[in-house]
Amino acid sequence: MLQAARKRVGARLRTPLRALLGVALAALAGFAAWRAELDAGADALRAQAASRLNNYAGALSAEIGRYGYLPSLIALDGRLQRLLAQPHDAAAVRAAEAYLQRANRAAGSSVAYLMDTSGLTLASSNWKTPISFVGANFAFRPYFREALRGQAGRFYGIGTISRDPGLYFSQPVRSGGRVRGVVVVKIDLDKVAVPWQGWRDPVLVTDRNGVVLLSSVPAWRFELLAPLPAAVRRRIAQTQQYTVAGPLRPIGLLPAGQAAGAPLFRLAHAARGPFGALPPHAFMVNSRVVPALGWRLLSLSDMRPVRDAARRSALAGVAVVGLLESLALVLVLRRRAQAERVAGREALERAYGELEQRVAARTSALTQANAALQREVDERERAEAALRRTMDELAQAGKLAALGQMAAGVAHELNQPLAALHTLSDNAVVLLDKQRLDEVRGNLDAISGLVRRMARITGDLKSFARKAPAAWQPCTVSKALDGALSLLRRRFAQEGITLERAFPDDEPRVMCDELRLQQVLLNLLVNAADAMHGVAQRSIEVSLDAGVEPGFALLRVADSGEGISPAARKRLFEPFFTTKAQGTGLGLGLSIAQRILREVGASIEAQSGQAAGAVFVLRLRLADQGGDGHG
Ligand code: ADP
């Protein structure tokens, strides 16, 4: 039981930990799915961008390669040689210009022109237009200086006159082993850029310094990928490469980590791409060098689809693991519930078994207790029978004791008349001798009276000593009282005890055995006399009242003695309870009195009197009321 409780507490403690673990596992799965999808997506994005960049770099290189030879081809023409030889010959100028115009149109380039070794433009294909280069000096351009050194020149810049950006190709024009002039062809790369206009992701081309030359985001053109050192800025200014476009400012790419080994950037400023506003979130930047020019081709791939996919994967991962966990939880809970059900059933069976055992034990205990009780009842019954026997014997013994007392009284009562008889009879003899017959008759009458009195005493004694069964019959209390008093008269007179009786005028009769009632009253009066031994005022009051309780008369015997202590009062009616000196009382009087009264349906109790002294109240059944008699 204790173990189970401990287990439950343990489980309760572990539950939040498990929940935490479950959540952590799901989060881990989500993270792993997110990471994997992000990596895979970034890889794919990178591969896609690389292949596109390859294609475009190829196209760009091919284009450049195609135009790279054009100036050398144009330079082969004799009209240009002639002009270089006679720069001020108007016919030569016209011929050269016509040629350059035709050649330029045929090649599809922007402009083609011829410079002398000082950088002065002698003839140009755009001689007829308002932006004619003729007479302009481009000695500051690097392509001129490279061609002057006998090399092919390449340069991207914005035209200082035409204000159009373009790629310049230059070749020296030689004659007699010397460089006499420079032929330049400028092409518009915007046309080359056309293929990438279909790409959703921004694409841009930068030069070695990171200046954006071409871009599918128009606003970025001639801006910088990163700020330039001052020296580089100065050099660029000298060649007037981008002067027309104004100061070079950074696009504003903020680093935003890495994905699949490629750097990620966010845009610092809003910009419009080929398909509307560019999103503000991260781009993957892939780049590739265009070998022919040392330029760099960059593409900015929107990371959002990859991130969205990664997020979806993460959610899916969390969902799958959560589902699996829920499934596992359901299984575990089901198994636990099953185990609990089994355990519950077992516990119930155990409890039932225990209950049965307990009932059996209790039943056997009850049976034993019952048997013990029965034994005890038997014993009690035996004890009661023994007690009853003893009581009977005791009653007899008590009666004998009373008899002893009575015998003393009787002896005294008889002694007096006997002495009188003796005197009277002696006198009668003397009087008879003297023939005083009248006096003899008087003496004989007195003798006869004395004999009658003695006969009454002995008669009483006889009836008292007889162990007669209780005779329920109507009797008069005062007669029983008289009987008792007759035995105590001498003692009362000797000890100065007065007795007052308060009986109704027509005294009701009670159901009783007169002799026994006399015995009871004798006992009460003797006890009263004993109790008054040590007091000066010795009086007894006996009263009878039939008006208190219907069907009963209350006989009250009150004395002015020392009274009964509370402790003694509880035990008054116990057999052998006595406070009297040894030899003077057996402690049987009241118990016998109680028994006698019970036999005739009456009762006795001791009350505390208002004044000092003891009061005994006898509740006697009235003889003339009710018909139940002695029931
Ligand atoms: P006994 O008279 O032999 O002692 P009883 O049964 O008649 O036996 O009385 C028991 C006791 O009750 C007496 O010893 C006495 O202490 C007490 N008792 C009885 N009647 C009175 C009384 N009227 N006043 C005071 N005590 C009494």
Side-chain angles (χ1 to χ4, degrees), residues 523-524 527-528 530-531 559 561-564 568 572 574 577-580 584-591 613-614 616:
N523 236 310
L524 291 178
N527 277 345
D530 288 348
D559 64 59
E562 60 202 3
I564 311 166
L572 283 183
E574 280 179 22
F577 172 76
T578 179
T579 57
K580 291 172 190 170
T584 49
L586 274 173
L588 282 173
L590 286 178
S591 81
F616 285 86

Side-chain angles (χ1 to χ4, degrees), residues 136-184:
N137 192 309
F138 297 113
F140 57 90
R141 293 290 206 187
Y143 61 79
F144 168 73
R145 289 202 295 275
E146 276 165 31
L148 214 56
R149 281 202 295 273
Q151 296 165 356
R154 269 173 205 173
F155 176 75
Y156 189 87
I158 306 173
T160 48
I161 294 170
S162 68
R163 310 185 86 80
D164 285 332
L167 182 56
Y168 297 83
F169 296 94
S170 64
Q171 285 284 348
V173 184
R174 294 171 205 271
S175 164
R178 275 183 55 213
V179 175
R180 305 278 179 187
V182 173
V183 173
V184 182

Side-chain angles (χ1 to χ4, degrees), residues 250-273:
I251 292 173
L253 288 178
L254 306 173
Q258 270 204 337
L264 302 182
F265 288 96
R266 272 188 306 109
L267 300 179
H269 320 291
R272 288 191 70 75

